[in-house]
Amino acid sequence: MMGSQAFFRQVLQAIGEADCDGLMSDKGAAVLGGLSGRATVGLLQRLAGLVGNRDSLCYLEIGVFQGLSLLSVAIEHPGFACFGIDNFSILDPKGENLGIVRERTRRLNATNAHLINQDYEAALEGLPGHIGERKVAVFFIDGAHDYRSQLMALLLIRPYLSERAVIVVDDANYFDVRQSTRDFLISHPEFKMVFEAYSPGHPANLDQPTRERQEAGWLNGVNVLVLDHENVLPVMLPRVEPLARDLYVNEWLVHRHRYAELAPQALDAAAAMVEGREPDAAGLRAAAEAGKDAFQARHPDRNLHCDGLPDRRFTAWK
Ligand SMILES: C[S@@+](CC[C@H](N)C(=O)[O-])C[C@H]1O[C@@H](n2cnc3c(N)ncnc32)[C@H](O)[C@@H]1O
């Protein structure tokens, strides 16, 4: 196998090329569109090109959406197995994304692209049932961006990574994504970050010229990690925000509250009141009514969801 230093140079070169040139080719341009920056997709294509021993390795991503990243990699490397996990739980108001992915796969004849239509956690916990004996050489995380999902993706993939694995974490502009990357890196020192890129804001909050520039680049930011068993590379950590620590305490306060599930809507209503607008009280009441049975069975606060837990229990080992 190639030495680690030569491999890291190849990875850095692939990042540099993706940064300058974006996609490797426009093979899929007439069919594909989606929510990843062109440099990000171009990097995934180039990283898949670095993989030797292709029969025993694969590309894996969380977050297929309409197939841009998965199919862009698959059509660039037809002999290489590419897997994408998505349960189509968000960004799919008309329930059409699964059909779009299937149709695009057919049009591009991407027979090496395999969809795992499942929640990411279930899929990763049963990963050998999907990828067989293969190890994952390139792992792209672009699914749910809450702190826990980001961290779990990194933790659950660990046993399945190849010796020369590269992980691309998308949407690193979100501060809870950077926090999960950092928490993983400091607790798993055999991984190193080799590249990070950010934009001035979420694409939804950017002016058009800036958004177009980001669409050609790394869109909503990336962190790129490699496995560095020999400890060759320097430690490099993404910046985290002191504010995040306070907000994770807020999570605890929200999770135990009777109306925990309504927190985002309740916050919107609070914002409207603070800003002198009319809150959507009817919407909030309707949501409370829809979950009435669960809400009424709870205390106003300090709900522990501990019914049915064992009073005490020892290991079965004797
Ligand atoms: C930003 S999109 C992915 C964009 C895609 N990589 C592309 O290139 O266009 C995020 C996707 O993650 C999926 N997702 C969110 N939560 C998930 C979960 N718990 N399990 C599996 N997929 C999930 C969503 O359904 C959505 O399609």
Side-chain angles (χ1 to χ4, degrees):
M1 200 199 302
M2 175 192 298
S4 57
Q5 303 208 19
F7 178 69
F8 297 149
R9 280 200 188 93
Q10 288 191 337
V11 171
L12 291 173
Q13 188 178 340
I15 296 169
E17 286 173 10
D19 202 25
C20 289
D21 304 334
L23 295 175
M24 275 180 81
S25 76
D26 59 1
K27 271 184 207 161
V31 175
L32 294 174
L35 295 173
S36 297
R38 293 200 286 283
T40 311
V41 177
L43 174 60
L44 298 171
Q45 293 175 314
R46 288 174 177 85
L47 292 175
L50 300 183
V51 176
N53 207 357
R54 296 182 152 241
D55 292 340
S56 60
L57 300 174
C58 67
Y59 167 87
L60 176 68
E61 71 177 29
I62 303 174
V64 175
F65 183 53
Q66 299 180 346
L68 172 63
S69 45
L70 175 66
L71 297 175
S72 297
V73 176
I75 58 175
E76 224 33 76
H77 305 284
F80 185 48
C82 298
F83 297 87
I85 301 167
D86 205 305
N87 61 358
F88 303 101
S89 57
I90 56 164
L91 302 171
D92 193 11
K94 296 190 194 147
E96 60 190 11
N97 285 352
L98 173 59
I100 291 174
V101 174
R102 286 192 175 138
E103 173 62 9
R104 288 176 166 184
T105 306
R106 190 192 60 73
R107 283 177 69 190
L108 293 166
N109 193 27
T111 52
N112 56 326
H114 309 282
L115 182 66
I116 304 170
N117 184 357
Q118 253 187 335
D119 171 71
Y120 83 90
E121 218 167 326
L124 292 183
E125 285 181 26
L127 199 56
H130 302 290
I131 67 171
E133 304 270 290
R134 292 183 186 88
K135 292 280 181 186
V136 177
V138 182
F139 184 44
F140 181 43
I141 305 178
D142 189 16
H145 297 309
D146 63 282
Y147 171 82
R148 180 176 177 276
S149 295
Q150 291 286 144
L151 186 63
M152 286 304 288
L154 291 165
L155 294 174
L156 289 174
I157 201 62
R158 178 70 189 92
Y160 303 107
L161 292 176
S162 72
E163 281 283 289
R164 292 271 179 270
V166 184
I167 301 175
V168 179
V169 181
D170 206 17
D171 291 272
N173 263 3
Y174 284 118
F175 62 76
D176 37 357
V177 172
R178 294 198 303 280
Q179 181 79 51
S180 61
T181 301
R182 184 183 190 279
D183 291 352
F184 179 74
L185 286 170
I186 55 167
S187 54
H188 294 75
E190 73 276 26
F191 287 85
K192 298 280 173 51
M193 187 165 79
V194 292
F195 180 72
E196 58 181 345
Y198 305 104
S199 74
H202 189 278
N205 293 328
L206 297 178
D207 60 50
Q208 196 184 336
T210 315
R211 191 175 63 245
E212 284 172 4
R213 210 167 43 248
Q214 291 305 129
E215 284 167 352
W218 306 97
L219 198 59
N220 195 29
V222 291
N223 294 157
V224 181
L225 319 183
V226 296
L227 253 174
D228 178 18
H229 298 287
E230 291 152 36
N231 200 17
V232 169
L233 299 166
V235 172
M236 176 181 172
L237 299 171
R239 192 186 82 190
V240 290
E241 312 308 320
L243 168 70
R245 294 294 295 269
D246 297 339
L247 297 185
Y248 293 122
V249 175
N250 277 359
E251 273 188 17
W252 173 60
L253 298 173
V254 168
H255 290 181
R256 56 189 235 181
H257 197 279
R258 169 177 277 162
Y259 294 109
E261 292 93 326
L262 304 188
Q265 283 154 283
L267 214 47
D268 283 344
M273 288 189 292
V274 168
E275 292 162 13
R277 292 177 283 113
E278 196 59 38
D280 179 14
L284 205 49
R285 267 197 297 274
E289 181 62 23
K292 186 174 72 185
D293 292 347
F295 296 139
Q296 284 181 356
R298 296 178 190 164
H299 305 286
D301 188 16
R302 293 190 170 82
N303 291 284
L304 309 181
H305 302 277
C306 57
D307 286 358
L309 286 180
D311 180 43
R312 49 183 59 67
R313 184 160 77 117
F314 285 92
T315 171
W317 178 80
K318 292 198 175 79

